[in-house]
Amino acid sequence: MTDFQRFADKALQDESLTRDECLAVLQSSDDDLLDLLHAAFRVRSRYFGKTVRLQMLQNAKSGACQEDCHYCSQSAVSTAPIERYNLLPQKQMVEGARQAAASKAQRYCIVISGRSPLDREIDEIAGAVRAIKQEIPIQICCSLGLMNEGQAKRLKAAGVDRVNHNLNTSEAFHASICTTHTFQDRLATIKNARTAGLEICSGGIVGMGEQDEDLIDLAMALREVEPDSIPLNTLHPAAGTPLEHCDHLTPQRCLKVLCLFRFLHPRTELRVAGGREHNLRSLQPLALYPADSLFVNGYLTTPGAPAPEVWGMIEDLGFKIEVDYQQPVAG
């Protein structure tokens, strides 16, 4: 049996696992899963204790994207029957922040579809963020596609705390899931956001047909990026997308990947992101042994667990929700 505790020891000493050790995690027997989770929890508990931070998404512009990301129901190559709309009015973005705060979310993430934000969209979002910050001291994350440094600076000036821009997969596999922009384009956006003084949220998607080596490459690339948080999505295949039949993940596989990312990113917030309910199913609570963050109230075009249900799961585990700002008093 693999000595997973040795992997935890290396992580706690800020030493990277070798590629063979990474493969040992991903290819471990399901029978050893509890031992693996215990080792990952040693690392998680050192830096995060039993706390959990929640995040809520606002799909502020849906559909009509020019990109061909094969996993996405909003892409140019998707025929998925989703709701499509232009940028939401500022008042709706502000109301979303109120809902996030009421859901005990640490962070509210405004997301728009499209390759890159238009100048007027940056202005509208910046205005919404200023209004939110005047009312609620919630942290704001924006996921707006490819951005230059000037756009990132305008967001920072408005009060945005963090930008999400996922690497999604390995550089080698990237062209298999998207041809309209490159892996390097994504790295450039992350660099521009960091230069602007914004925190970085960057992770990936598991289950798109990638190999173990691709997952290891992704995790290692993120070690170079050094994001403040890593959202790890598991593919929830949408009908009408090129990956609609790519539905082979098991709960055990998802948990092994989370454990690997915890060993390789011991001090970084690790979020169980999109696809959690679909792929982890009844084993969702076990994800909080390696991870320390969750989404509530759904995703961009797919539903998710409502906040009270997530609160109950966290409480049943004996964990606690951490919010480091004063929540508004409910009226």
Side-chain angles (χ1 to χ4, degrees):
M1 188 176 76
T2 304
D3 183 7
F4 299 124
Q5 294 300 332
R6 182 170 58 84
F7 297 172
D9 290 340
K10 291 185 73 169
L12 292 170
Q13 293 165 13
D14 293 316
E15 294 180 24
S16 178
L17 271 61
T18 67
R19 294 190 73 89
D20 284 344
E21 289 169 337
C22 292
L23 286 170
V25 172
L26 294 176
Q27 298 174 4
S28 59
S29 168
D30 289 352
D31 292 340
D32 297 333
L33 183 58
L34 290 180
D35 291 327
L36 175 60
L37 287 166
H38 180 246
F41 181 66
R42 273 186 60 210
V43 182
R44 182 242 204 267
S45 61
R46 167 73 66 87
Y47 299 111
F48 301 96
K50 290 186 174 181
T51 62
V52 180
R53 287 191 166 188
L54 304 180
Q55 181 158 316
M56 195 187 95
L57 289 168
Q58 174 70 71
N59 192 5
K61 177 186 174 185
S62 180
C65 183
Q66 314 95 312
E67 304 298 283
D68 70 351
C69 304
H70 296 359
Y71 53 85
C72 183
S73 60
Q74 303 183 75
S75 76
V77 293
S78 168
T79 60
I82 62 166
E83 189 177 2
R84 301 171 192 274
Y85 48 84
N86 292 324
L87 188 67
L88 295 177
Q90 289 186 8
K91 64 180 182 181
Q92 284 185 246
M93 289 187 260
V94 174
E95 177 56 31
R98 296 188 187 110
Q99 293 174 10
S103 298
K104 303 182 182 180
Q106 170 73 16
R107 195 169 296 110
Y108 173 58
C109 190
I110 299 170
V111 187
I112 67 170
S113 61
R115 177 182 176 85
S116 299
L118 302 172
D119 283 342
R120 63 174 177 79
E121 291 172 334
I122 291 280
D123 290 340
E124 285 293 311
I125 292 166
V129 170
R130 290 189 181 97
I132 291 166
K133 290 287 188 172
Q134 288 178 355
E135 179 182 339
I136 309 162
I138 195 169
Q139 292 183 14
I140 304 290
C141 178
C142 288
S143 183
L144 312 181
L146 302 175
M147 289 195 300
N148 59 41
E149 187 178 329
Q151 291 172 319
K153 285 181 175 178
R154 287 161 66 190
L155 293 176
K156 175 68 175 178
V160 173
D161 301 285
R162 182 173 291 186
V163 160
N164 164 260
H165 201 69
N166 293 332
L167 294 184
N168 283 336
T169 190
S170 71
E171 185 168 13
F173 192 65
H174 185 273
S176 298
I177 61 165
C178 179
T179 67
T180 47
H181 63 262
T182 68
F183 190 85
Q184 291 301 318
D185 289 333
R186 289 187 167 268
L187 287 174
T189 290
I190 291 170
K191 180 181 178 181
N192 291 335
R194 178 162 279 142
T195 300
L198 291 158
E199 295 178 357
I200 302 299
C201 171
S202 186
I205 308 173
V206 181
M208 299 187 292
E210 73 282 342
Q211 302 299 309
D212 287 347
E213 294 287 351
D214 293 304
L215 289 173
I216 297 168
D217 285 347
L218 170 63
M220 293 298 186
L222 288 168
R223 281 177 65 90
E224 296 295 318
V225 169
E226 296 183 319
D228 298 278
S229 68
I230 297 175
L232 205 59
N233 301 276
T234 52
L235 183 69
H236 186 166
T241 64
L243 297 182
E244 65 179 332
H245 300 300
C246 197
D247 197 11
H248 57 267
L249 289 174
T250 66
Q252 293 85 353
R253 171 68 170 178
C254 298
L255 292 168
K256 291 170 191 177
V257 176
L258 284 166
C259 289
L260 174 63
F261 274 69
R262 175 51 70 206
F263 291 142
L264 292 175
H265 299 273
R267 301 170 182 264
T268 306
E269 179 180 277
L270 180 59
R271 185 173 310 108
V272 194
R276 181 184 88 228
E277 296 85 350
H278 177 77
N279 290 302
L280 283 163
R281 302 189 287 278
S282 63
L283 297 193
Q284 285 182 64
L286 294 180
L288 285 173
Y289 284 92
D292 59 285
S293 180
L294 295 172
F295 276 114
V296 295
N297 298 336
Y299 307 97
L300 299 179
T301 60
T302 54
E309 184 177 314
V310 177
W311 300 343
M313 178 177 72
I314 293 168
E315 183 179 351
D316 288 346
L317 279 168
F319 291 9
K320 64 178 181 179
I321 298 167
E322 181 179 70
V323 183
D324 67 3
Y325 65 88
Q326 184 65 43
Q327 296 178 67
V329 177

